[in-house]
Amino acid sequence: MEVSSLNKTLIVLVLLLATFTTLSLGQRTQRSRQGTRVGFYRATCPRVESIVQSAVRSAFQANPTVAPGLLRMFFHDCFVNGCDASILIDGPSTEKTAPPNSLLRGFEVIDAAKSQLETTCPGVVSCADILALAARDSVVQTGGRSWQVPLGRRDGLVSQASDTATLPAFNDPISVQIRKFADKGLNAQDLVTLVGGHTIGTAACALFSYRLYNFNNTNGPDPEINQAFLPQLRALCPNGGDGLRRVALDTGSVGSFGNSFYENLRNGRGVTESDAKLWSDRRTQRFVQGFLGNRGSRFNSEFGRAMVKMGNTEVKTGSQGEIRRICTATN
């Protein structure tokens, strides 16, 4: 009887140990797979948001064009292998060198924030999270509404220029735009909302001047351009002129975040072909209409929601990727 009781006790202990081990492994697996969350650095680097905000504010005060640059940078990063800061890596054939990214600006702001964070809490904050925060803070600097940014991304290890084919292009038809967004888990409403980021910033003449003079080999302009707007664009981008000259994507509101971009689309004053199509195609027009007139507040709140959704695209968390010591190179 004593041996039998001892055996029973041992069996119970083994079962308890096995159960505890299984639960522990399950919890670790869950932690390694968990997504981003608000307050991720609350214990490990509580000043992370104020440090990034300060870096963005200082850069913006010196050069306001850095705000749309940082916003575009985050967008371009997330659409290529997820939001993993792969766009920040230097090298002869990295994403940074690809034509769609050649005119991006603001890389030095991310570097400045990272440098300070490495002094304050070394090895803790990812470059991917810094970029996500900087994009939000750029919107705030230009008058947009803030939103809570879930954090916990880790930095990617791969950056190839050839992967940028997944980026939406300035001349993509709506069907292609919708497909590219859908590939990232984003719907048509997200598409229209996120492209609203064009309310700040500019585009080079080279990206749209073909619409002004010989659209589709017609020897004439794109008929979707407002006839009163056409001379203005032609004056800014003369035929055969400087293709690098910059033109506001949201006429009259280049540095102010708001819903005037959608008013311009409705009025035939979209600058790039892909933007203009948002109004002319019924699949996206209804979402543009939802942001017109006095619906600026709705656009601001929807933009934050869509940014959070995009910011969780194919993120690396847990044991995936790494925390880079500097943002321009892997460890």
Side-chain angles (χ1 to χ4, degrees), residues 50-125:
S50 63
I51 288 173
V52 175
Q53 185 182 62
S54 177
V56 173
R57 185 190 302 113
S58 295
F60 178 79
Q61 290 172 347
N63 180 9
T65 66
V66 77
L70 290 169
L71 182 57
R72 308 277 188 278
M73 192 187 301
F74 183 56
F75 185 96
H76 285 211
D77 182 49
C78 290
F79 264 78
V80 182
N81 299 321
C83 310
D84 65 352
S86 53
I87 197 171
L88 304 176
I89 297 176
D90 286 340
S93 58
T94 59
E95 293 172 33
K96 189 184 289 188
T97 67
N101 297 328
S102 61
L103 297 177
L104 288 178
R105 63 190 72 190
F107 293 102
E108 72 283 355
V109 183
I110 305 301
D111 292 339
K114 178 62 171 175
S115 178
Q116 187 170 351
L117 284 166
E118 284 298 299
T119 299
T120 306
C121 36
V124 173
V125 181

Side-chain angles (χ1 to χ4, degrees), residues 302-323:
E302 281 295 301
F303 189 80
R305 178 201 59 79
M307 285 288 284
V308 169
K309 187 175 179 181
M310 182 184 72
N312 281 321
T313 299
E314 301 170 14
V315 294
K316 297 164 180 65
T317 59
S319 59
Q320 300 170 321
E322 64 181 9
I323 304 298

Side-chain angles (χ1 to χ4, degrees), residues 8-30:
K8 287 181 180 179
T9 301
L10 288 172
I11 290 171
V12 170
L13 287 173
V14 168
L15 288 174
L16 286 173
L17 180 61
T19 301
F20 175 80
T21 302
T22 301
L23 287 173
S24 179
L25 287 172
Q27 288 169 350
R28 286 200 294 270
T29 300
Q30 185 177 14

Side-chain angles (χ1 to χ4, degrees), residues 155-233:
D155 299 322
L157 302 173
V158 177
S159 181
Q160 298 177 333
S162 57
D163 289 338
T164 60
T166 57
L167 283 170
F170 61 88
N171 57 352
D172 279 345
I174 289 298
S175 58
V176 174
Q177 294 185 60
I178 290 175
R179 174 179 58 77
K180 288 182 176 180
F181 273 73
D183 287 344
K184 301 301 176 183
L186 302 166
N187 57 34
Q189 181 177 354
D190 300 323
L191 159 64
V192 174
T193 304
L194 290 167
V195 174
H198 286 173
T199 184
I200 57 175
T202 59
C205 289
L207 296 182
F208 64 88
S209 58
Y210 68 93
R211 301 183 67 208
L212 310 180
Y213 301 100
N214 188 26
F215 183 68
N216 289 342
N217 296 317
T218 60
N219 285 323
D222 184 342
E224 292 185 2
I225 301 176
N226 186 310
Q227 288 301 300
F229 187 43
L230 182 61
Q232 184 177 341
L233 288 179

Side-chain angles (χ1 to χ4, degrees), residues 211 222-230 232-233 250-251 259-271 275-276 278-280 285 288-289 292-293:
R211 301 183 67 208
D222 184 342
E224 292 185 2
I225 301 176
N226 186 310
Q227 288 301 300
F229 187 43
L230 182 61
Q232 184 177 341
L233 288 179
D250 184 5
T251 304
N259 68 333
S260 57
F261 171 74
Y262 300 105
E263 304 282 351
N264 277 324
L265 294 186
R266 179 189 60 183
N267 296 330
R269 298 169 72 90
V271 174
D275 284 358
L278 295 178
W279 177 255
S280 61
Q285 186 186 83
V288 175
Q289 289 174 323
L292 294 175

